[in-house]
Amino acid sequence: MQQFWEFFSFADANIRYVTLGSVLLAGSSAVVGCFTLLRKRALVGDAVAHSVLPGVCLAFILSGTKNPLILLLGAFITGWISLIVIDYITSRSRIKEDTAIGLVLSVFFGIGILLLTSIQHSGNAAQSGLDKFLFGKAASLVGEDLIVFGIVAVLLLFTTILFYKELMLLCFDQAFARTIGFPVRALELLLTTLTVLAVVVGIQAVGVVLMAAMLITPAAAARFWTENLKVMLVLAALMGAFSGITGAFVSYTAPAMPTGPWIVLIISMIAILSFAFAPKRGWVARLMRQRRNRALILEENLLKLLFQLGELKQDFETSRSLSDLLERRSIPKRQAIHGLKKLKQQGYVKKKKKRWILTIEGEKRGRRVVRLHRLWELYLTQYLHLASDHVHEDAETIEHIITPELEKRLMEELNYPELDPHSARIP
């Protein structure tokens, strides 16, 4: 607890630099990463992250100093060139984008490693610490680095806000943007520049190896929680900022733990939790929906079955045994018993001496399912010209998802029919 209060009091200047730098890095990268993710160019961040290393090395060789602005300028230039090369290869050859990204990533990174090795063997005393661009070292951030981080973060966020409408249209409907006169190529270059800036700033904290995770992971996690782009941007920024603070705190409480990898690990944990527990798109929610849908289909099939048995002799007052139902339709016995018990709880069926009978509400619901089944069969035969013996299976599936609005439209399109393709009455 003492370490907690020491850290979050921000009395130590080094804590302030590391924490604020990590927050600015993670938050601004996440915002740009949202647009990269939506454009289905997630691997671009990885390509840029590996392509900045030769720029850092060349900037050091030419300047002879480790001035952050000079090194980041060199990183920006080679990172930007790498994206231009990817676009050029993709547009001028039959090579697909993922292959082009792999080619550019490996070539640029290989050149960077060669230059870094050459520098390490040159005997230049100023080269010490240059390898932190490879693996990152957020714990060594100082006030000068923080100023650079702050300027770039403000620039990224301001540009995103200023061109929000244009970038959104570029992500969701590029053809429409071009049709209405938007400068699509210029917008692509702008987004490329923002991506490179985000990566260039981040490599000093987490390195070229992990920077792609900082760009894409918060955006991927936020995407699971919302369908609204504005909300997605805010969520991604908050998730990134939280991972930055938490990673810095873990590194402070356990000095042997590096800050950058912990930031990536925490945002990855947030992403995993999002993938699993997001209310609409998460894995658990999807499983629950599937379970509810299976239960709904079972219940409606049982109601339809009871209605059809009563329809044979227009006798809905006679109770039916479980064997009567299973003889007419192949349903696992345990599932049928469970479904009937649930229908009884809902008031759709009644049980009399181990036999089942529809209630008034159950008869209405069963009648509707039968009507939808027969309407869809008739629609397939009349409008798609399918044979009457080929429409049953499709109707078995679609009858459970037809809405009242679609049901009304079907009735109107078919002119309120009385018989289905098999000459059975449509109730």
Side-chain angles (χ1 to χ4, degrees):
M1 184 58 70
Q2 181 182 355
Q3 286 182 320
F4 179 86
W5 290 115
E6 285 177 357
F7 180 85
F8 285 100
S9 67
F10 300 114
D12 189 325
N14 187 53
I15 293 176
R16 291 197 299 270
Y17 294 149
V18 174
T19 304
L20 189 54
S22 300
V23 169
L24 290 172
L25 155 71
S28 58
S29 299
V31 170
V32 176
C34 288
F35 294 105
T36 305
L37 177 73
L38 292 173
R39 293 197 69 212
K40 296 180 174 60
R41 303 192 73 190
L43 287 176
V44 164
D46 201 24
V48 174
H50 285 76
S51 300
V52 298
L53 186 59
V56 171
C57 295
L58 286 172
F60 175 78
I61 292 172
L62 295 175
S63 66
T65 66
K66 290 188 298 181
N67 185 301
L69 285 176
I70 295 177
L71 296 182
L72 293 181
L73 178 61
F76 174 82
I77 292 173
T78 54
W80 200 80
I81 290 173
S82 70
L83 284 187
I84 298 301
V85 172
I86 290 171
D87 288 340
Y88 182 84
I89 293 174
T90 305
S91 61
R92 299 299 179 91
S93 71
R94 294 185 178 182
I95 297 176
K96 294 184 179 180
E97 187 178 47
D98 57 343
T99 308
I101 288 173
L103 288 171
V104 171
L105 182 152
S106 55
V107 170
F108 275 69
F109 191 59
I111 294 172
I113 293 296
L114 287 175
L115 292 174
L116 185 61
T117 304
S118 175
I119 292 171
Q120 290 174 339
H121 289 85
S122 66
N124 190 335
Q127 57 139 331
S128 176
L130 194 63
D131 59 347
K132 71 181 181 181
F133 284 94
L134 190 59
F135 300 108
K137 196 173 181 182
S140 66
L141 296 177
V142 295
E144 190 177 0
D145 298 320
L146 189 60
I147 293 173
V148 175
F149 277 29
I151 292 172
V152 174
V154 170
L155 181 61
L156 291 175
L157 295 175
F158 176 76
T159 307
T160 301
I161 294 171
L162 184 63
F163 293 96
Y164 170 78
K165 181 179 67 175
E166 290 80 1
L167 292 175
M168 177 179 65
L169 198 56
L170 180 68
C171 291
F172 290 110
D173 199 337
Q174 183 173 323
F176 178 69
R178 185 177 287 107
T179 301
I180 62 176
F182 275 26
V184 171
R185 184 57 183 164
L187 290 172
E188 288 178 337
L189 291 176
L190 173 64
L191 187 55
T192 296
T193 304
L194 294 179
T195 304
V196 175
L197 269 177
V199 171
V200 164
V201 173
I203 57 172
Q204 195 167 355
V206 298
V208 300
V209 178
L210 297 176
M211 187 54 215
M214 291 300 304
L215 191 71
I216 298 301
T217 309
R223 181 69 182 90
F224 272 78
W225 292 92
T226 181
E227 300 286 344
N228 186 299
L229 179 56
K230 290 181 180 179
V231 177
M232 179 182 171
L233 293 173
V234 173
L235 282 178
L238 290 176
M239 289 176 180
F242 176 79
S243 67
I245 293 175
T246 312
F249 176 70
V250 172
S251 180
Y252 175 76
T253 55
M257 294 291 183
T259 305
W262 265 104
I263 294 174
V264 174
L265 182 60
I266 290 166
I267 192 59
S268 298
M269 291 171 63
I270 294 173
I272 291 171
L273 291 174
S274 299
F275 300 161
F277 300 108
K280 291 184 179 180
R281 300 167 63 90
W283 172 68
V284 173
R286 188 163 59 248
L287 286 179
M288 292 179 66
R289 278 198 306 272
Q290 291 173 353
R291 185 177 179 181
R292 286 195 301 268
N293 290 337
R294 283 195 297 266
L296 174 66
I297 291 171
L298 174 63
E299 292 165 15
E300 291 191 342
N301 283 338
L302 289 169
L303 289 173
K304 180 175 69 173
L305 195 52
L306 284 166
F307 181 86
Q308 288 173 333
L309 288 171
E311 188 184 33
L312 292 174
K313 296 182 180 181
Q314 290 300 306
D315 178 14
F316 298 100
E317 303 297 328
T318 301
S319 57
R320 312 290 175 179
S321 66
L322 182 61
S323 59
D324 292 336
L325 300 178
L326 299 184
E327 283 176 7
R328 188 174 178 89
R329 188 183 183 104
S330 178
I331 299 175
K333 185 176 180 180
R334 183 178 297 180
Q335 290 185 20
I337 293 173
H338 178 75
L340 288 167
K341 287 181 178 179
K342 193 169 181 182
L343 287 170
K344 180 184 176 184
Q345 293 173 357
Q346 296 171 349
Y348 290 115
V349 299
K350 294 185 292 187
K351 188 176 182 182
K352 292 183 178 180
K353 297 180 180 180
K354 296 185 179 181
R355 296 172 69 86
W356 304 90
I357 184 173
L358 287 171
T359 63
I360 295 175
E361 290 301 318
E363 184 182 338
K364 288 180 181 178
R365 188 176 171 190
R367 179 185 290 109
R368 181 177 183 271
V369 178
V370 172
R371 179 169 64 252
L372 295 178
H373 181 99
R374 293 174 181 173
L375 282 173
W376 191 252
E377 286 188 334
L378 188 60
Y379 178 81
L380 292 178
T381 55
Q382 287 194 5
Y383 284 85
L384 298 184
H385 307 293
L386 298 180
S388 59
D389 57 347
H390 284 64
V391 295
H392 177 76
E393 292 298 327
D394 189 75
E396 281 284 306
T397 303
I398 205 70
E399 67 191 23
H400 302 289
I401 59 175
I402 294 178
T403 62
E405 294 78 14
L406 185 54
E407 177 187 358
K408 181 181 177 182
R409 185 171 177 182
L410 277 172
M411 293 289 286
E412 293 172 350
E413 290 281 344
L414 297 170
N415 197 23
Y416 301 93
E418 295 183 358
L419 300 177
D420 73 355
H422 310 288
S423 299
R425 192 179 64 85
I426 298 177

